[in-house]
Amino acid sequence: MPPMLPPPGHADPFVPMPPPARHPADSIVLPEAKLPSRWKRPIKHTGVVWVMAIAAAAWCAGMLGVYVGARLQTNETSTAYRSSTQPVVIGGPRDELLEQRLDVAGVNAALAPSVVAVSSDIGSNGLTGEGVGTGVVLTEDGQILTNAHVVEDASEVRVRLFGELDPRPAKVLAIDPSNDLALLQVEVTGLSPATLADPSTVRVGDEVVAIGFALDLDGEPSVTLGIVSALNRTILTEIGALDGLIQTDAAISSGNSGGPLVNAAGQVVGINTAVARGDSETAASNIGFAISMNQVLPELEILRAQANGEEFASGFLGVQLGERSDGGAGAPVTEIVPASPAEDAGIETGDIVIAIDGQDIYGSGGVIGAIRDNKPGDQVTVVIERDGEEKTFEVILTDRPPQEG
């Protein structure tokens, strides 16, 4: 039994940006377009904002579906592709360039050859459409990273490279909806890989630019400037959590999904994935999220291994969780699964989880994300608060038990 998400009404939703549908130039649907409720893709997070998908076409948003299924799945097609074995390029320690004002034109020119348009044919319930997102070149021989929600459930995926007019067919090598990342491969050499930033070099207040094919507008990618607003944010989805996120005020729209968030050195600090918006009761302004390199780099190893036929299973702790209503941090344990690792370790109902493996926990999403990224057999250190005292447990995770019924 997976950790329980907060009940409806106890959390405010965040959603990834669905790829905009292709459309005639005179029929662009603005972000304010109303979507049928069954076509929205909510991500829930305890907070003060409501977020809806920024869609260029309502029917395309519906076709993306929700994040369901196995942690990692391959897209089975008849085209033969070989996964790249080239290493990704990772930047060095923080240098003086990062202390200077960001040169938007210079950074954009440096990154342009590494940013690609990703288009996909998506069908659901008899409807078909084409979505558009963004990708980042990882290797010279055609390996590309994008968001899972850009290519999930796609029957065909294409990539248009820098300087080319026509798209190339692409293979989805591996996809992880729970972390919203997917690995693509195109049969081409001579590409310009992006440099991925050392996670330790990213600081709140750093200037960054978001690059991507916003709203599938004609021409080259859109570039927006902002700062790193916060680090290590967590947002909840219906089936899990995105954790370790970078919050930014750089404008992000549909079509930016899967594109890079870039620092002054021209290094990718995150993969743009979600945006927050207000409603009639709450206000949200310039709140976007990117998956940080702290999450991307280990996930790349998992995706590459899965592309080569290896399977990955998430670890199982065995707790159901709630959210604190008193303004405090941590995730209250509302139920313990019998004979689970949590019960065996001595964790009890009413405990408040405040840290896992040295990472502070601010809500249930932090627990879900931390456990999801570990395998059965891994040992995790869980710190809880019980009756005003902290207690530490060493817990060995197990395989998730089969669902009944």
Side-chain angles (χ1 to χ4, degrees):
M1 183 180 297
M4 178 176 289
L5 301 183
H10 288 238
D12 297 326
F14 288 73
V15 296
M17 298 85 60
R22 290 195 180 276
H23 40 254
D26 61 351
S27 63
I28 295 176
V29 181
L30 298 179
E32 289 77 9
K34 296 180 180 179
L35 306 181
S37 61
R38 67 181 182 279
W39 284 359
K40 297 180 181 179
R41 295 169 51 89
I43 292 179
K44 298 179 181 179
H45 172 64
T46 299
V48 296
V49 295
W50 280 88
V51 182
M52 58 179 290
I54 299 179
W59 51 266
C60 184
M63 295 169 202
L64 291 177
V66 295
Y67 287 161
V68 294
R71 171 181 167 83
L72 296 172
Q73 300 175 352
T74 54
N75 186 333
E76 299 296 337
T77 72
S78 59
T79 305
Y81 288 81
R82 183 171 62 181
S83 175
S84 172
T85 59
Q86 294 182 352
V88 298
V89 182
I90 301 176
R94 192 177 182 92
D95 57 28
E96 293 181 359
L97 181 59
L98 293 176
E99 310 299 334
Q100 302 173 6
R101 292 300 304 270
L102 188 147
D103 175 5
V104 177
V107 168
N108 182 51
L111 259 291
S114 305
V115 179
V116 303
V118 180
S119 59
S120 56
D121 293 337
I122 305 170
S124 178
N125 298 323
L127 300 175
T128 59
E130 182 182 16
V132 177
T134 307
V136 177
V137 175
L138 295 179
T139 64
E140 180 271 342
D141 61 351
Q143 199 164 87
I144 293 167
L145 184 67
T146 189
N147 280 150
H149 75 261
V150 172
V151 297
E152 189 178 14
D153 299 326
S155 59
E156 184 177 344
V157 176
R158 296 167 298 277
V159 167
R160 181 164 56 84
L161 303 174
F162 173 75
E164 295 189 350
L165 297 177
D166 298 318
R168 298 170 179 262
K171 167 72 174 180
V172 181
L173 295 175
I175 183 170
D176 182 358
S178 66
N179 280 296
D180 200 17
L181 290 172
L183 199 61
L184 312 181
Q185 186 76 39
V186 292
E187 291 203 332
V188 64
T189 58
L191 300 185
S192 298
T195 298
L196 308 183
D198 179 339
S200 67
T201 64
V202 183
R203 303 188 311 193
V204 173
D206 285 348
E207 285 193 308
V208 288
V209 292
I211 305 175
F213 291 87
L215 299 182
D216 191 26
L217 297 173
D218 293 341
E220 300 304 315
S222 299
V223 181
T224 55
L225 175 66
I227 63 169
V228 173
S229 302
L231 298 172
N232 296 319
R233 294 298 200 204
T234 299
I235 56 179
L236 284 175
T237 74
E238 299 106 332
I239 68 161
L242 294 177
D243 59 338
L245 298 174
I246 296 172
Q247 181 184 326
T248 181
D249 65 351
I252 297 174
S253 302
S254 266
N256 277 111
S257 292
L261 189 69
V262 186
N263 64 18
Q267 301 168 350
V268 179
V269 301
I271 301 299
N272 299 318
T273 189
V275 66
R277 298 191 64 191
D279 61 13
S280 60
E281 297 180 354
T282 59
S285 179
N286 296 338
I287 298 178
F289 298 95
I291 305 169
S292 71
M293 289 301 110
N294 274 324
Q295 302 296 315
V296 169
L297 293 175
E299 178 68 9
L300 275 178
E301 298 303 315
I302 295 172
L303 290 171
R304 284 183 154 189
Q306 200 276 340
N308 291 323
E310 297 182 25
E311 294 184 359
F312 184 93
S314 295
F316 177 71
L317 177 61
V319 296
Q320 293 194 23
L321 304 166
E323 301 291 347
R324 296 190 66 169
S325 59
D326 59 358
V333 176
T334 60
E335 186 176 334
I336 300 290
V337 177
S340 67
E343 183 180 70
D344 293 343
I347 297 174
E348 300 176 358
T349 299
D351 290 344
I352 299 175
V353 181
I354 58 175
I356 295 179
D357 284 343
Q359 180 67 47
D360 291 339
I361 298 297
Y362 295 97
S364 61
V367 178
I368 296 169
I371 299 303
R372 176 203 61 211
D373 293 335
N374 285 276
K375 303 184 297 296
D378 287 349
Q379 179 174 291
V380 296
T381 302
V382 180
V383 181
I384 62 96
E385 182 183 276
R386 181 186 297 168
D387 298 327
E389 297 183 1
E390 290 188 8
K391 294 181 179 293
T392 300
F393 300 91
E394 301 297 332
V395 185
I396 298 178
L397 304 178
T398 62
D399 287 301
R400 184 175 300 278
Q403 297 290 329
E404 297 181 359

